[in-house]
Each structure stands twice: as structure tokens, then as C-alpha cells.
Amino acid sequence: MATTPPVIPPLAPNATFLDTNELIINMGPQHPSTHGVLRVILKLDGERILGTECVIGYLHRGVEKIAENRTYTQFAPYVDRMDYVAAVSNGLGYCETIEKLLNVEAPPRARFVRTILTELNRISSHLLWLGTHAIDLGAITPLFYCFREREEILKIFENYCGARLTTHAFRIGGLQYETYDGFDQQVRAFCNQFMEKIAEYETLLTGNRIWLERTKGVGILTAAEAIDFSVTGPLLRASGVKFDLRKAQPYAAYSEVDFDIPVGENGDTFDRYVVRMEEMRQSIRIARQCLDKLPEGPVMAKVPKIMKPPVGEVYHAIEAPKGELGYHVVSDGSTQPYRIRVRPPSLINLQALDRMVRGLLVADVVAVIGTIDIVLGEVDR
Amino acid sequence: MQSVLPSLFFYALATMILVSAVVTITRRNAVHSVIWLISTLLGIAGLFLHQHAEFLAAVQVIVYIGGITVLFLFVIMLVNLDEAAKKKQFAGQWKIVVICAGALLAELGFFIFKGAEGFYFAEPAGGSLQPNTQLIALALYRDYLLPFELASLLLLVAMIGAVVLAKKDLK
Amino acid sequence: MPTIPAAIEPFIWPFVYGAVILLVFPLLAGYIVLLERKVMADIQVRLGPMRVGPHGLLQPLADALKLLIKEDIIPTLSDKWIFWISPIISVVTALVAVFLIPMSDKLPVPDTNIGLLLVLSLTSVGILGIILGGWSSNSNYPLLGALRSTAQLVSYEIALSFALIGGLMLAGTLSLQGIVMAQKEQAIWFVFFQPVAFVIYFIAALAETNRAPFDMPEAESEIVAGYHTEFSGFRFALYFLAEYANIVIVCSIMTILFLGGWLRPFPNVAALEFLNFAPALVLLGLGGACLIGLDRKPSKPQKLGMIGLGGAFILAGLACLLPPVMEAVHGLFWFMLKVFMGVYTFIWIRFTLPRYRYDQLMNIGWRWLIPLAIANVIVTGIVMQREQIFAALGF
């Protein structure tokens, strides 16, 4: 009866038999704080993160493929469904890209209205981020305050185009609708009250010891790393890189308004929080200036009913709330795009997650996912 | 009735302690063992209460159940029980164990036999609501202060030693 | 009337009281949940439950019914009997501890000379319910939650106990009734002698009951629901009940040791005797408020509900004006008021502050609270024995 001795796997040099096993935890796709259906596989030693792996694709709808079977106009509503909390920005990027391809330019009034709505949309996107980020860190109340103000923005969208979330506010070549009566007053009223409300959020969070301890020094991304990971948007600026497409390659009416680019120093979660809060203030500033300078005139340029852009390709990027949102459109001269490739900021920012959370605790993963501000609709497309 | 009830308590608690103790060492699952250990400790606390040593009973529960077994569970939960259950459960020192147990049994038997007449079942000590907390405090902090402090020093040394050992392992 | 044997007679009233606690406390816990939801809604500019009963007052009953008739799920790979027994451990220890709290000097609560220790030992056994529940689920998140809560509860119990010792040194007894009577004799609430201990106790109590900002064991954004992730239906309700019972217990101990238990403010000032009318006044006021707000109720059933509620409050208030009832009720009223102020503060904190991280929690406990609590005990001892010390030093 020859029995082979059981094979004992060799222990790591400094491990003892009392060493506990590494714990593999599946965070998501059904998890309260992965902001949708992100799945993160965590390798833990106790609660310390040894490594992470993101599994994406649970919300993949093949948006880019759909584009190949739609005309340029038909595809416009689809882009709203990518980053659904910043649908207006998505629409702006798409419309401007196709305008570039068609070689038309939206009239000045349309560009200013676009800028106002996009900046309001940036605020609403940041508000959603702030609320959920605070909830991730255990502060339940700010979410409701944020939603209260976001509601005002959504009301403006609703008054303007009838939709609140996936607005499809813009058309290729300008705007379909002229602004409604009272648009100016409503936006100004919102701008005035919102500055007070930001102060309210800040009293709840900015000076709070717990908030500081939870965010300062957590998920640090240095400037060099941020550039290596090609993260964009508030993440990049919080790491100290002063780069904003609104200044670097002005589009819409950004070249005609005056605003600052907030930058952080340490690239930690707190800096990203501060940068986004300041961005909201700057958005108000931009919206006010646009209202002051809002020119009269048509809102729609002359574009052919059936769009057949010349053969060629174009890449155009805008500064969406989450970072650089780029559209690469290839035209073969037909009514339908040959290929559309979207550069979603969420997906590319998400790649830095592993670098940011290694060595931290489980609770910090939640904080970092929150601070990256992902929208799974955009990550998976 | 007055005389039956206390001994009834005693026997019930003694049975509980003994049965739980036996089950504790025969369970294969370490967590189950701890639960039975808790049952044993609860029984002992009950015996203290039976003797009107309320302070000791409460401390027994707080320290042993609230502290020590909780830490046992803490450690056990981190160990992979499925693997542990496959390991050999006994150390294979049968001969030594039998000799030791026999010696102990003989010793106990001898003393029980010798002191049979002085042996009686535990009766509850005099009336309840005696301030035995104060009595214990006086004993510990006045009459036996030096031994008490020495013992605490010993525990402190052991604690620091444990921390040092654990730290070394990390590096 | 049959005579009751002398051997059983002293057990009857405590037994009845225990049964009443068992029946009434779950309801009370339900209403604390409702209070929490209402306060939360108020803080978050919402209304909270409004549908079931006037102002959602019947919501706890609906919730209880829902939890009772839900499917009872036991995970296949769980350790069945531990899974079965752990919520019971939690809830039984918590309810027994509630039973031991003297809410008024009129209630037949057993007075033991280790009252406080007994309550502490019961809550420390209650921890087992959490740990075993988390472990037996055989799932990662509950395990992490159980580990977190073990570490947290064991660490903060030390700070909690040392904070209690500060108060106990003044009272000179462990009996809960005795502590309150000591405050009556010394004519002061111990919070004024022991503010440091009070603050430490409060912070440690937040951690002991897994409340924000120390609610790591059930931090829903990190580890889903912590140790009770796999529990559903009635078992979940038991954990929930135990949790709220524990909140009431820690607030009660706080009330007894630091806030003068069932004594009204300034119990030795005879001029404030009129404060005994407070329960009646509060009930009448509530009744009045119900009836004044009547016009705003849109539908007939809602109006009727409010009238019924207001009438009940006014009747209870009038009953409280009768001297014997007033005598029996005012102690309970003050005790409940103090406990509810504690509970309200718990809720208020929960919806205001973010959550600490696990390692930060441990730092606070071990580096700040425990040394501070020990220092507080030492200073208290020195101050209490200052005469002997001065004499020894030759002043």
C-alpha cells in the first residue's frame, strides 16, 4: 500500500503556518458604492489592499457599433446615454465634432447657450459626485442637499428642452430651440442661490475633522503618475497639472469668458474634492458671464438636411465634467459614420485606481472610487 | 423546599459545566468548541452567583466571555477552518497523557478519600446584597497589594512580549 | 383572593415587569426607528414616512409585519445552528439588560449590588451574537464586519469601563438604584463632577453601539451590511431590535450615572416641585398640537386619525394630573426624556458626520480615549482623597 506523501506547497520565506490566508473579495457588480455595476476584485491581507482588478463591461451596450448603423443625426441621442449624469457635455462634444467634420460653425448665440447649459451640467454632475462621494465616506446628508440644487438645474433643462437627464439639448450646427422666456432670470437666480449652497456643503464637509482624516493623503496620484496614466479632468488638476481643454483648446464660447483653473498640490482625495468644489464656483462664473454677453441672432447654422461629410477623419475633445471627452469620427462620405471612437474620461481615469489604492484599507477603495467619479455608462459604453 | 432548591441549582450547573467541557474538547470545529467553552464559563459564573459572589460572577462573564473567548473567536475566524479540520486532531502523545491523567486521578482520589468527612456540597454563603465588591477590593488593594501588583507586572511583561513577537513577524 | 406563597411572592412583580418589557420594548424600538427616520428626514430636508397613519405613526407596525412575513433565508453553506442561535444571543442579552435598567424608582426592577457590572457583562455577551452571526454566514463581507466589530467593541469597552469608573468612584456603589440615590444625596448630577468621563463615555458608547461615526461594522458603503448581510426577515429584525436595545441601554446607563436617572432637575429644590406637572403638560401640549394642525389634513380619515391621536394625548395628560398617577409617572417621564435626548443626539450625529476609517477608530480608542479615561480616574482619586494626601504631604 504505497501512499504518496501529501505535497505541501512551499511556504514563503518569512511565512509561518499561522499566517492567515489572503482574502479575495468581490466588490460589485452589486455593491452599494461602486457607482453602478463596476466590479472590483480586491486581494486583501486583513483589510489592507494587496491588489485590485477592475472587471468592467456589465453595462456595455455597444454604443460605438450602433453609430455605424445610424446617420449622424440619428446617433446624437445615443451619446447622452454614455455619461448620463452629464448628457449635455456628451452632446456638446458630439455636435462639435460633427460640425468640425462638416466644416460648419454654430452661430455665436448657440455657442453661448451651449456654454451655459454645459456649465450647469458640470455643476449637476459635480453635485452628484459630491453627494455620492460623501455617502461613500458615511456622510449621508450632503446627498440630499446636493440633489436639492441639482433639481433646480434639471428644471432649467426641462424648461429648455423638455428632458431632464438625457437631454439631447443640442443639434449638429447649433440649437433646435431658442431659449425660453425667463431663461436668463432662472439661470441667474440659480447662480445667486447656489453660491450660498456651496458654502453650506463646505460647512458640512470641508472643515470636518473626520472628512479631512478620511480624504487627506488618501489615494495620492503624483503629477508624473497622473500624466503617465493619462488621467484628465479634476484628477489631473488635483495632482498639480494645470491643464484644462477649455483653456488649452477653447471650444464653444470659452475663449470669450474669463475663468480660473483650480489646481491641487498633493493629488490626494481631499485635493480632488477642493478642485471640484472650486470648479463649481468657476462654472457659475462662466454661466454669469455668458448670460451677460449673450448675443442676439440665429441659433442654427446652415447644415444640409442629409449630412454627407467629406471623406476624412476628425478628433475633437472637450472638457467634460469628468475629464477629456474625445470623439474620433471617421467618415467614408456616406450618411453614416464609418467608425466612431469615444475617449471616455471615466474609463481612462479608472485605470489609476489600482495605483491609488494599493496599501490602503478597504474603506479607502470606496473613497477612491468615489473620488475618481466614474459613470459606468461611460466606462462600458 | 428551601434546602432542595440550592442543591438543584448546583447539580444543574455542574452538569452543564461538565457536559460542555467534554463537548468542548471533542468538537472538530473550533468555533463550536469555543461556543461550548462559553457555556462552561457561563456555568462557572452561575456557580459563583450561587455562592453569592456576584462580583466574581460578573467579572467572570466580562473577562472570560466578553474578553478572552471573543479574542479566541477573533483568531479562529482568521484561520481557514476547512483546512484545519483536515489536520491531525491529536498530538499522538498517548503514553504521556495516560500517565499524567492517571497520576492526577490517583492524587484527586487520595485527597477526596482522605478528606471525605470534611467534604460537603457547596452551600450558598450568607445573605445576598453583601458588599463583596468592597471586600474584594480591600483584599486586593490593601491586604495583598504586593502580590497583586507583582502579578499585574507579570501580565504586563507577557503583554509587551507578545506585542514584540508580533511586531517582529511583520518586518 | 388566593394567597400567594411567601417563597414566590417577591418574584411576581419583576416577572410581570419582565413580560411587559418583552412585549413593549420591541414597539418602543420600532418607534425609535421611526424617530430616527423622522429626524433624518428633517435634517435632510425631507418629510420621512408619511403614508402609514398620521405622520407615518403606524410605520413601525407595518415594518414589523413586513419583516415577520418575509422569507427566511439561511445560506446553504452557513453554519446552520450558529446562524440560528446568534441573533437570539444578541436579542436575549439586550432585552435582559433593558429589564435590569431602573427607569423609575416605582418599577419592580431587581436591585443587585453589581447592577452596572451585570449590565456590562450582558452586553459583552451580546457581542458574541455579532461575531458568531458574521462568522456563521460563511461569506466575506459578514466576516469582515464581524472582525471589525470584535476589534471595535473589545477596544472601546475598555474606554467605556474606565469612563464609568470615574462616575462610580463618586457614587461608591455598583447598584444602579444606589447610583441615582447617591446623586440625590449629593444634590448634583455626576456629569458636573465628571465632564471628561461623560464625554469619553459618550464617544465610547457611540462606538459600542456601532453608530456613526464609528459604524464600521455595518458601513453600508464599504462592506454592504456588515455582520448581518446574510440575515433576512425575522432574524434581521432580531438584530435590529438588539441594536436599538443597546442604544437604549447605553443611553440609560449614561442617564443613570451622569444625568441623575429618574430625578427631575434639582431634585432637592422644593421650589421646583411644580416640575412634577411636566409630563401632564407635555402630553396636553402634544394633544393640542395635534388638534391645532387639524385644518391642514387633506382627507377625512387623516383628520379622524389626528383627532383620535390628540384625544388620546389629552386623556393621558389629564390622567397624569391625578396625584397618584403623577407620583408614579414623573420619574419615568424624566428618565425617558433624558434617554431620548441621548438617542436624539446619537441620531443627530449619525446624519451629520462622515465615518471614520477602521485604523483611525483604533487610534482614537487606544491613543486618546483610554489614556484620557485612565488619567481621569487617577485625577478623580487624587481629588477625592485630597485631604489625606495633603495631610501626608504635611500641609
Side-chain angles (χ1 to χ4, degrees), chain C residues 196-215:
Chain C
V196 179
F198 178 71
V199 172
I200 294 172
Y201 177 82
F202 189 78
I203 296 174
L206 282 174
E208 276 288 299
T209 47
N210 299 335
R211 295 288 293 190
F214 306 111
D215 55 346

Side-chain angles (χ1 to χ4, degrees), chain C residues 345-363:
Chain C
T345 316
F346 272 45
I347 297 170
W348 182 14
I349 286 177
R350 175 170 172 195
F351 295 109
T352 310
L353 295 180
R355 179 183 301 121
Y356 266 115
R357 204 172 56 205
Y358 178 68
D359 56 328
Q360 292 163 346
L361 166 98
M362 287 293 158
N363 268 345

Side-chain angles (χ1 to χ4, degrees), chain C residues 31 34 52-63:
Chain C
Y31 276 93
L34 182 70
V52 193
H55 285 270
L57 274 177
L58 298 179
Q59 186 72 40
L61 303 179
D63 285 346

Side-chain angles (χ1 to χ4, degrees), chain B residues 29 31-32 35 38 54-55 58 61-62 65-66 70 73-74 77-78 81 129-131 133, chain C residues 79 81-82 111-114 117 120-121 124-125 128 131-132 135 143 147 150-151 154 174:
Chain B
N29 188 325
V31 173
H32 292 185
I35 291 173
I38 290 166
E54 295 98 345
F55 183 77
V61 173
I62 291 180
I65 299 178
V70 165
L73 282 174
F74 194 83
M77 280 196 287
L78 289 171
L81 280 186
L129 285 177
Q130 289 290 308
T133 314
Chain C
D79 199 314
W81 73 270
I82 299 185
D111 183 14
T112 63
N113 61 355
I114 50 156
L117 272 184
L120 282 184
S121 64
S124 73
V125 175
L128 288 172
I131 303 168
L132 292 174
W135 177 81
L143 183 68
L147 286 177
T150 318
V154 170
L174 280 166

Side-chain angles (χ1 to χ4, degrees), chain C residues 205 295 297:
Chain C
D295 291 343
K297 294 288 146 221

Side-chain angles (χ1 to χ4, degrees), chain A residues 109-128:
Chain A
R109 184 172 172 85
R111 286 194 286 122
F112 274 86
V113 172
R114 279 177 175 187
T115 309
I116 295 169
L117 291 178
T118 314
E119 287 307 313
L120 288 180
N121 194 209
R122 185 185 311 280
I123 294 173
S124 92
S125 167
H126 280 358
L127 282 176
L128 191 94

Side-chain angles (χ1 to χ4, degrees), chain A residues 348-366:
Chain A
I348 289 164
N349 292 350
L350 185 61
Q351 307 312 314
L353 175 72
D354 187 63
R355 170 70 58 92
M356 283 151 86
V357 299
R358 262 195 201 188
L360 302 182
L361 303 172
V362 176
D364 293 325
V365 177
V366 173

